[in-house]
Every structure is written in C-alpha cells, then in structure tokens.
Amino acid sequence: MCRNNQLEYIFSEKELYPRARELFFLMAGFSEKNPPSIYQEEEIFLVQQAIASKLHIVMEAKKIQHYEFYSRYMILEEERFEYNIPLQSYKEQITGVYAYFVSSKEIDITEQNVARQLYGDIWQNAYLDAAREASREMLRLYTGHVVSQGMAPGFYGIPVENISNLFRLLDTKRAGITLEEGGYMKPEKTVMGIYFTLRWDLNIFKRDCSNCFAKGKNCEFCMRKL
C-alpha cells in the first residue's frame, strides 16, 4: 500500500520462502559438500513449518523530503547521521532517500530443544533478510530507480546510537516497534536503515569492512558475504 510518500506492505510466508530457504542453508553452514543429514533435514522441515504458521513480517519505506550530504555526515529532515564514506561525492547521482524498517512478529521457540531453537532462530533471520531483499526490489519498482544497498547504524561509520534518529523518522509505534534501553529493538527480529535511489547502478558503499562496528562478529550472517 502507498500513502503519503510511504510504501507499506505485509509479506506472506509463501512469497518469501524460496529466498529464505536459500539463506537458511547458507546461514546454517550447509552446502553441496556439507549437506544436512536425514535427521537434520527432518528437524529443519519441522521447525520451518512451525515458523511459517506464525510468521508475520511488515515493512515500511518512507520518502525523506529534505536531505543534505556533507563530507562526514548527512542531514535527513532534521536528523544528523555521521559516516566514514565519501557519500558527498555521489550526491549528484542520488535521486532520493528513504528510511525503512522490516519487522517480524516475535515467535517463541524457547520450549523447543537446543537444536530446534537454533534452527528456529536461523529460519527467522532468513525470512527477515528475504523480506529485506524483497523490500528493496519493491522500492525499485515503486520509484523506477536503482536502489542502493541498505545503510544503517553500526555500519559505514554510523554510530549505533543513531538508531534513535531513525525511530524519529519512521512511524514505528503504529507497527508496534519499540526502542529499548541500550539501543535494542523489539520485536528483536527488526532491521532498520536507509536506502538511496540512484540515477544508475552504482556501488556507493564499496567493499570496505574497516568501518563496520561489528568488528568481525557474525560475519557469516553479513548480507555482503551471502
């Protein structure tokens, strides 16, 4: 649904499953050379079915009306975001800026055994990332422009604390998303960031991990490596 320069959508499990399945096996470390055992396949299938029946993922992408780029920071509406990339040099190629979130309803898997809890968490991450990829494609179709990879606090030199700036740009309350003490979001399976629409296909972020605040943690889940 589109309203007031916002793109909103509720994903169905069926439309996300093909990509989520690919991401699940990558995240879980399985491959043609390292396939799951028959027992593992049964467990994976049972967990996926349980997750699928409860899945509820929503997205929102809001057009930013006012934006300015400088050498070390940008202004979106009245919010300031610092960064360590030369974004200013690409400002002529940037045609628009969108703040976005993708959020999945909490699914309780604590009563499952350890293996199923692990598979359940990976499945939820896989569906969330599949929804994020689908959101980017939807925004491309909606705007008719190339859409950049997502930019978010904790990456490219943007302080993690800037997540509160994004909250002020988006209608998170209506979606039931809250920011807890310490910068944690609820529901836990929520991602939030910034997309840029571009005049042509251009990698404005490059492949530089030096400014990633994750400092090597969870690299196996990084979308750039999948």
Side-chain angles (χ1 to χ4, degrees):
M1 181 174 70
C2 305
R3 65 181 184 89
N4 298 329
N5 290 313
Q6 289 186 183
L7 179 63
E8 302 169 1
Y9 192 71
I10 300 176
F11 291 99
S12 71
E13 185 276 333
K14 289 183 178 180
E15 66 186 312
L16 295 177
Y17 175 73
R19 181 54 176 157
R21 186 179 186 279
E22 293 178 7
L23 291 171
F24 173 87
F25 283 98
L26 286 168
M27 291 175 176
F30 295 118
S31 64
E32 290 185 4
K33 294 182 179 180
N34 181 38
S37 66
I38 295 177
Y39 171 76
Q40 286 174 318
E41 284 186 343
E42 292 176 350
E43 291 287 280
I44 290 168
F45 175 76
L46 289 172
V47 173
Q48 186 274 330
Q49 290 296 295
I51 294 294
S53 65
K54 301 175 182 178
L55 198 70
H56 181 81
I57 300 182
V58 300
M59 68 81 70
E60 177 184 307
K62 177 183 178 182
K63 186 175 183 178
I64 302 302
Q65 299 299 324
H66 174 77
Y67 53 88
E68 301 174 18
F69 300 107
Y70 299 93
S71 60
R72 290 293 180 178
Y73 68 94
M74 63 182 168
I75 301 294
L76 305 184
E77 307 296 5
E78 297 180 354
E79 302 296 334
R80 174 173 169 142
F81 295 84
E82 298 177 358
Y83 46 66
N84 290 332
I85 56 174
L87 200 56
Q88 184 188 27
S89 62
Y90 298 110
K91 64 182 181 180
E92 297 302 322
Q93 284 75 44
I94 296 173
T95 60
V97 181
Y98 287 79
Y100 78 92
F101 67 74
V102 181
S103 183
S104 179
K105 179 182 177 182
E106 299 277 4
I107 301 176
D108 186 8
I109 54 175
T110 56
E111 293 185 0
Q112 302 293 327
N113 62 42
V114 175
R116 289 191 179 185
Q117 286 185 40
L118 176 60
Y119 290 151
D121 191 60
I122 296 174
W123 268 118
Q124 290 181 76
N125 287 333
Y127 274 110
L128 189 67
D129 278 336
R132 177 164 49 180
E133 290 182 8
S135 297
R136 182 180 173 217
E137 176 60 15
M138 289 176 65
L139 188 59
R140 183 189 70 81
L141 294 173
Y142 173 65
T143 63
H145 287 264
V146 174
V147 179
S148 72
Q149 295 288 341
M151 185 179 189
F155 300 91
Y156 309 111
I158 302 179
V160 176
E161 294 77 13
N162 276 184
I163 193 70
S164 59
N165 302 50
L166 275 174
F167 262 75
R168 288 190 287 270
L169 292 174
L170 291 159
D171 188 4
T172 54
K173 288 184 179 180
R174 189 165 56 86
I177 305 171
T178 59
L179 184 62
E180 306 296 309
E181 188 175 351
Y184 295 99
M185 291 185 287
K186 284 191 174 183
E188 180 182 338
K189 302 303 182 185
T190 299
V191 292
M192 191 174 293
I194 300 161
Y195 285 130
F196 302 98
T197 55
L198 308 169
R199 296 187 188 282
W200 56 79
D201 196 0
L202 179 69
N203 182 5
I204 60 177
F205 299 135
K206 309 304 180 185
R207 280 190 169 272
D208 181 9
C209 296
S210 63
N211 292 320
C212 176
F213 287 178
K215 302 301 182 186
K217 298 177 182 178
N218 295 325
C219 286
E220 67 271 26
F221 297 115
C222 178
M223 290 303 298
R224 282 170 42 194
K225 295 192 176 184
L226 298 179

